[in-house]
Amino acid sequence: MNPELRRNLWLQFSLTRLLLAPVAVGALLTLTWVVSDRSLAAVGEVARAIYYLLVVLWGTRRAADLVAEEIAGGTWDDQRMSALGAWQMSWGKLFGGTSYVWYAAGLAFLALAGCYWAAGTPPWQSGEAIQLLRLLGTGALAQAVAMLVSLALLRRLAIRRRLGVSLSQVAGILAGLLASGQLDGGIVALFLPEVAWYSRVWDGELFSLATLGVFLAWSVFGIYRLMRVELKFQSGPWAWLAFALFLMAYCDGFLYGSIRLAGGDLGAWLILPFLLVSALTYLALFLEPKDVVRYRWLGADLAAGELRHAWVLLPQWLPVYLLTFVCAIVLCLSPDLGSAGLRLLSGPFVSVEALQHAQGLFLYPLAITIYLLRDVLVVLFFNFGHGGRRGDATAFIILFLAYFPLTGILVSLEMVSLIPILAPYPLAAPLFNFAAALVECAALAVLVYRRLALAGRFAPVIA
């Protein structure tokens, strides 16, 4: 047996806890049975509610706190130096650390399945089996996302343990709500009789279950990759790039019919992927630590031609940004993006009517990527400074002000010609969009390079 799994099982279970869970769950279900005048439907609904509360609310808290608890207890460094590999550590913690939650929730799950059976619908029938599997997948996804986010925040909020755990739990709960269909627009729970994806129409329940399983697999794989980082294994940025490519292909499947009706041009295929990889670039940029020494090593390896070692040092955002740039080039060469595509790219401050008269709009995707590069340099500049611990927060506030309040003020004052100083603007002349972004990129690149150079010098000790 996995040593980490065995250790967690010993920690989670005792005779008292083994007896407490069935007594508590059984008492609640018995009370429901008595109060509802022996209604199986009421007992089933209460069992479902107990299951969700345990796996989504309590389970996400446990999953989010697994590593943070080890750090607080002073045992994490010893574990990292053990002979366990990243995969053993990952699933041993995820399933072992939440094993008691699953033990208690499993009792409610069995009660729900028993209610189905007693009502004359065996749980192994197609519809009921899919619903029960979705219940299991929802809990597993919520807990996996919570642990995934906790590992991503671990290097950022190591000192603020409770903040990182709470944020991770919120992320896990949101994932669980999306998977269960409790939030509108859930990308995992597509509760439609039929789902059109690419050239086929799929059964809605089976498609949602398959989607849930795929995203669960990606979440567990993400835990494994981040655990490799924690255990000091060398890991390149290919996993985040692979997820970006998967997400591009997955989301484009829902637009297949519209794209084919619009002529099936390559640009129409890449509009949504372009926006997705842009968002993933920002996400990786803010989640990953920006270690100035690591960036210096990367520059030195690239200059020396040590490409294999440079690949290991590459930040996660860089390959995805290059993918964004490639998508932008293809979009610029596309003959027609369509009205929906232009609406997606234009932003909230431009009307559809105004877009019809814009000049040089085909170059706008490339302008977006240059502004994205500017934003990357802004984040790196503040992280490479003396106040690097607050660099992400400072950069986020500055970029938020530039893209929303300040741009909105310029629109309200009818000074739209100045918007390219702050953000890309589709109605501006292409030369102005490019010139403003390139000048800002050049200035920021010089500032970032200077901070990189200063990081290589030893500051004098002040007596």
Side-chain angles (χ1 to χ4, degrees):
M1 180 184 287
N2 184 335
E4 181 63 21
L5 176 63
R6 183 172 61 246
R7 188 183 75 90
N8 277 287
L9 291 177
W10 277 107
L11 291 173
Q12 291 296 310
F13 288 92
S14 65
L15 180 59
T16 302
R17 302 190 88 196
L18 281 171
L19 297 175
L20 182 61
V23 169
V25 173
L28 289 172
L29 295 179
T30 302
L31 176 63
T32 305
W33 168 265
V34 173
V35 171
S36 64
D37 196 18
R38 300 183 179 183
S39 170
L40 286 175
V43 173
E45 288 304 312
V46 171
R48 186 191 302 271
I50 292 173
Y51 174 84
Y52 273 127
L53 285 175
L54 289 174
V55 298
V56 176
L57 193 62
W58 186 20
T60 54
R61 187 68 181 186
R62 281 292 308 142
D65 202 24
L66 288 173
V67 179
E69 188 177 60
E70 300 282 359
I71 294 175
T75 59
W76 180 233
D77 288 336
D78 293 335
Q79 285 194 330
R80 291 199 299 178
M81 290 187 291
S82 68
L84 288 179
W87 176 241
Q88 289 178 300
M89 189 73 76
S90 298
W91 74 268
K93 281 196 174 299
L94 177 60
F95 297 111
T98 59
S99 55
Y100 187 75
V101 175
W102 282 107
Y103 168 65
L107 298 171
F109 180 84
L110 291 175
L112 176 60
C115 289
Y116 280 151
W117 200 350
T121 53
W124 55 81
Q125 286 187 356
S126 178
E128 284 69 25
I130 290 176
Q131 291 184 21
L132 293 175
L133 287 174
R134 185 184 293 148
L135 282 174
L136 295 175
T138 296
L141 179 68
Q143 294 172 20
V145 169
M147 185 175 177
L148 175 66
V149 176
S150 71
L151 286 172
L153 296 177
L154 184 61
R155 295 172 292 168
R156 311 301 315 281
L157 301 172
I159 300 176
R160 306 172 190 174
R161 172 196 169 197
R162 289 302 167 193
L163 176 60
V165 170
S166 298
L167 291 175
S168 304
Q169 183 185 18
V170 169
I173 291 174
L174 288 176
L177 291 175
L178 286 170
S180 63
Q182 300 302 313
L183 292 180
D184 291 338
I187 61 172
V188 178
L190 305 171
F191 295 104
L192 297 173
E194 294 179 339
V195 175
W197 193 67
Y198 284 104
S199 59
R200 289 188 57 181
V201 176
W202 306 80
D203 178 77
E205 291 188 341
L206 286 176
F207 186 87
S208 66
L209 182 62
T211 300
L212 177 59
V214 170
F215 277 94
L216 174 59
W218 273 111
S219 300
V220 174
F221 180 65
I223 292 172
Y224 163 71
R225 293 290 297 180
L226 290 176
M227 190 63 74
R228 282 180 59 88
V229 175
E230 286 299 315
L231 300 182
K232 305 305 179 184
F233 288 102
Q234 290 188 344
S235 300
W238 64 267
W240 189 248
L241 178 61
F243 179 70
L245 292 171
F246 158 77
L247 205 60
M248 291 167 62
Y250 174 81
C251 293
D252 249 358
F254 297 104
L255 303 179
Y256 180 84
S258 302
I259 293 172
R260 298 298 296 177
L261 288 175
D265 186 74
L266 184 58
W269 283 102
L270 288 179
I271 291 173
L272 182 57
F274 172 73
L275 297 175
L276 286 172
V277 292
S278 299
L280 290 176
T281 302
Y282 280 112
L283 185 61
L285 178 66
F286 280 102
L287 283 180
E288 192 176 29
K290 272 71 67 178
D291 185 1
V292 64
V293 176
R294 185 183 179 92
Y295 276 79
R296 281 179 58 85
W297 288 347
L298 173 61
D301 284 340
L302 290 174
E306 297 288 343
L307 298 183
R308 179 175 296 182
H309 193 246
W311 170 256
V312 175
L313 294 174
L314 274 182
Q316 300 286 339
W317 61 265
L318 184 53
V320 184
Y321 173 76
L322 295 177
L323 184 59
T324 307
F325 189 80
V326 172
C327 291
I329 295 295
V330 176
L331 287 173
C332 290
L333 298 176
S334 177
D336 184 19
L337 298 180
S339 59
L342 295 177
R343 178 72 272 174
L344 285 172
L345 293 175
S346 60
F349 297 113
V350 182
S351 65
V352 178
E353 294 77 13
L355 283 175
Q356 305 300 323
H357 307 289
Q359 300 295 322
L361 200 57
F362 69 97
L363 292 173
Y364 187 61
L366 186 58
I368 292 177
T369 61
I370 299 176
Y371 279 94
L372 176 55
L373 177 60
R374 179 206 64 177
D375 298 346
V376 169
L377 292 171
V378 168
V379 175
L380 294 181
F381 173 76
F382 285 104
N383 274 275
F384 290 169
H386 295 295
R389 288 185 178 180
R390 302 182 184 89
D392 282 337
T394 304
F396 179 82
I397 292 172
I398 290 174
L399 294 176
F400 176 81
L401 293 174
Y403 278 104
F404 296 102
L406 296 180
T407 300
I409 290 172
L410 292 178
V411 172
S412 301
L413 297 176
E414 298 183 354
M415 301 172 65
V416 293
S417 60
L418 298 179
I419 289 179
I421 299 175
L422 301 172
Y425 188 56
L427 301 184
L431 181 61
F432 195 12
N433 262 333
F434 281 101
L438 288 172
V439 169
E440 292 171 2
C441 283
L444 285 165
V446 172
L447 294 175
V448 170
Y449 178 78
R450 287 182 177 178
R451 290 203 163 176
L452 278 172
L454 287 174
R457 302 175 184 174
F458 290 101
V461 178
I462 300 176

